[in-house]
Amino acid sequence: MTSAAKTALRLPAPPAGTDAFAADVISGLTAKRKRLPPKYFYDAAGSVLFERITRLPEYYPTRCELALLGQHAPAMASLFPPACALIEFGGGSSRKARILLGAAATVEAYVPIDISGDFLQQDAALLRRDLPRLAVQPIVGDFTRLPDLPPAIAAVPRVGFFPGSTIGNFEPDDAAEFLRRAGLLLGAGSLFLIGVDLVKAPEILHRAYNDAEGVTAKFNLNLLARINRELGADFDLAAFEHQALYDGECSRIEMHLVSTKRQKVGICGERIEFRAGETIHTENSYKYSIESFQALAQASGWSPLTAWTDGLFSVHALRRTATDER
Ligand code: SAH
Ligand code: AVI
């Protein structure tokens, strides 16, 4: 980019607190292959759109996982230690945790960690109303930079819960790193329940990420709307299209936003150029086999106990075998 192009645009300064977001957006959109981190999907509007995705007929993962939890919650709960805390990573709505909480009377505290602050706090208020004896202690933050737990939680046995196959949104190496670090947070001998979407016929995957109603497209495009709202950018949403493709070699769905024409977009004083057909890579959603996920877990300090599956989706119970401490 020429310095003339950089200075040509005068945009309002972004509001305070958006520095990390702005830095990630600029670094992603000035890379050779444009990309944006998927964690930025989840502002208030994005979290509501994701909830709509979970109710779509084509999006099978949520239905499958809810059914597996409903069917096997007593077996899962039998693995919980007495007087424990349930730590949920990226819970969104606590719909799934509620099933475990209903089956596991030994859970005294629930600690959801999520980047979508308002959504998390609203959900926590509902849970406190419905389960007044449970200590609900949400933590707003990025679960890749695992925070310290409140002292009362750090003092009791901890069970981890990571539903929804959100682990599939990590690159496999990052998933392994997350599992290692979560192990340090959860402690020696702890139990970890993780929902993992399975490799399957590409048509089923394609439909799940290209729903007829276009909700996934709205979810994807909301990322550009969010950049406009929070960073004062001037993306023309009508000039970008949602694309989701299955890459069988990598076993992953890739989501992109495709520029339908040659165009320039102003963001934080930068002018970003797009060729017609150029894409912004917004998300990977890796699919695993039961065995490939168990191998990943094992290499990351966790021993597989059981995997419950309906053939489309799986919920894994892992026990921490690594003995290193935080
Ligand atoms: N667990 C829910 C929601 C899955 S959507 C389900 O199974 O349906 C992914 C969730 O993870 C969202 O609530 C989002 O806000 C949260 N999330 C995504 N990336 C995150 C990150 N890096 N740190 C914390 N939360 C994150
Ligand atoms: C949260 N995550 C597991 C979802 C997925 O399926 O990868 C996000 C999503 N993206 C498009 N649809 C749903």
Side-chain angles (χ1 to χ4, degrees):
M1 173 174 309
T2 65
S3 58
K6 278 189 183 177
T7 50
L9 242 131
R10 295 225 184 283
L11 290 164
T18 56
D19 292 1
F21 181 37
D24 286 347
V25 167
I26 295 300
S27 103
L29 295 184
T30 51
K32 194 153 181 269
R33 289 177 176 211
K34 293 183 171 59
R35 56 182 152 67
L36 289 169
K39 67 179 177 185
Y40 293 120
F41 280 133
Y42 302 94
D43 64 348
S47 295
V48 170
L49 283 166
F50 180 75
E51 278 304 302
R52 279 181 63 193
I53 289 177
T54 65
R55 293 181 160 81
L56 291 168
E58 298 94 333
Y59 194 74
Y60 62 87
T62 309
R63 262 193 320 283
C64 292
E65 191 176 31
L66 285 170
L68 287 169
L69 291 170
Q71 220 178 324
H72 301 290
M76 294 173 190
S78 72
L79 301 169
F80 284 34
C84 63
L86 183 66
I87 317 290
E88 181 169 12
F89 303 94
S93 84
S94 56
R95 206 164 14 145
K96 293 172 184 170
R98 281 170 184 258
I99 301 176
L100 291 178
L101 292 168
T106 60
V107 178
E108 295 186 343
Y110 170 59
V111 182
I113 305 173
D114 204 292
I115 205 162
S116 189
D118 292 347
F119 200 80
L120 181 69
Q121 299 292 2
Q122 282 164 20
D123 193 77
L126 292 177
L127 198 59
R128 284 189 194 105
R129 183 200 63 192
D130 296 344
L131 300 174
R133 271 196 290 274
L134 184 72
V136 180
Q137 295 186 255
I139 299 178
V140 180
D142 186 333
F143 54 50
T144 61
R145 304 192 186 114
L146 290 174
D148 286 333
L149 293 171
I153 302 295
V156 296
R158 297 167 298 279
V159 173
F161 185 40
F162 195 18
S165 203
T166 303
I167 197 155
N169 297 135
F170 288 127
E171 290 303 308
D173 281 353
D174 295 336
E177 177 61 18
F178 170 82
L179 287 171
R180 270 191 290 274
R181 297 182 61 189
L184 296 176
L185 189 83
L186 296 173
S190 56
L191 174 72
F192 203 176
L193 297 173
I194 307 190
V196 182
D197 197 11
L198 298 177
V199 175
K200 58 184 60 65
E203 307 78 63
I204 301 177
L205 290 166
H206 189 268
R207 273 198 296 277
Y209 292 83
N210 291 282
D211 60 287
E213 210 188 311
V215 183
T216 310
K218 283 200 186 112
F219 174 71
N220 202 1
L221 282 160
N222 176 59
L223 196 44
L224 303 186
R226 178 179 186 181
I227 296 171
N228 283 351
R229 280 192 297 271
E230 294 185 23
L231 304 179
D234 60 1
F235 273 106
D236 172 8
L237 266 60
F240 286 86
E241 276 175 4
H242 165 72
Q243 183 185 60
L245 308 161
Y246 184 61
D247 178 337
E249 250 171 59
C250 298
S251 302
R252 70 184 193 197
I253 285 279
E254 288 189 5
M255 286 213 315
H256 294 261
L257 288 162
V258 187
S259 173
T260 57
K261 60 179 190 189
R262 194 165 163 220
Q263 57 182 317
K264 292 176 184 163
V265 177
I267 309 173
C268 301
E270 300 268 349
R271 189 189 277 271
I272 311 288
E273 302 199 7
F274 289 86
R275 299 184 306 278
E278 186 175 5
T279 81
I280 308 172
H281 189 167
T282 51
E283 186 182 65
N284 286 321
S285 194
Y286 281 87
K287 309 302 168 186
Y288 290 88
S289 64
I290 301 274
E291 297 73 25
S292 66
F293 185 74
Q294 288 183 332
L296 179 82
Q298 207 141 22
S300 315
W302 293 90
S303 157
L305 294 180
T306 317
W308 296 273
T309 181
D310 59 0
L312 291 176
F313 199 89
S314 58
V315 179
H316 293 253
L318 310 173
R319 173 82 61 208
R320 182 155 195 260
T321 41
T323 49
D324 47 336
E325 293 304 327
R326 252 185 150 190

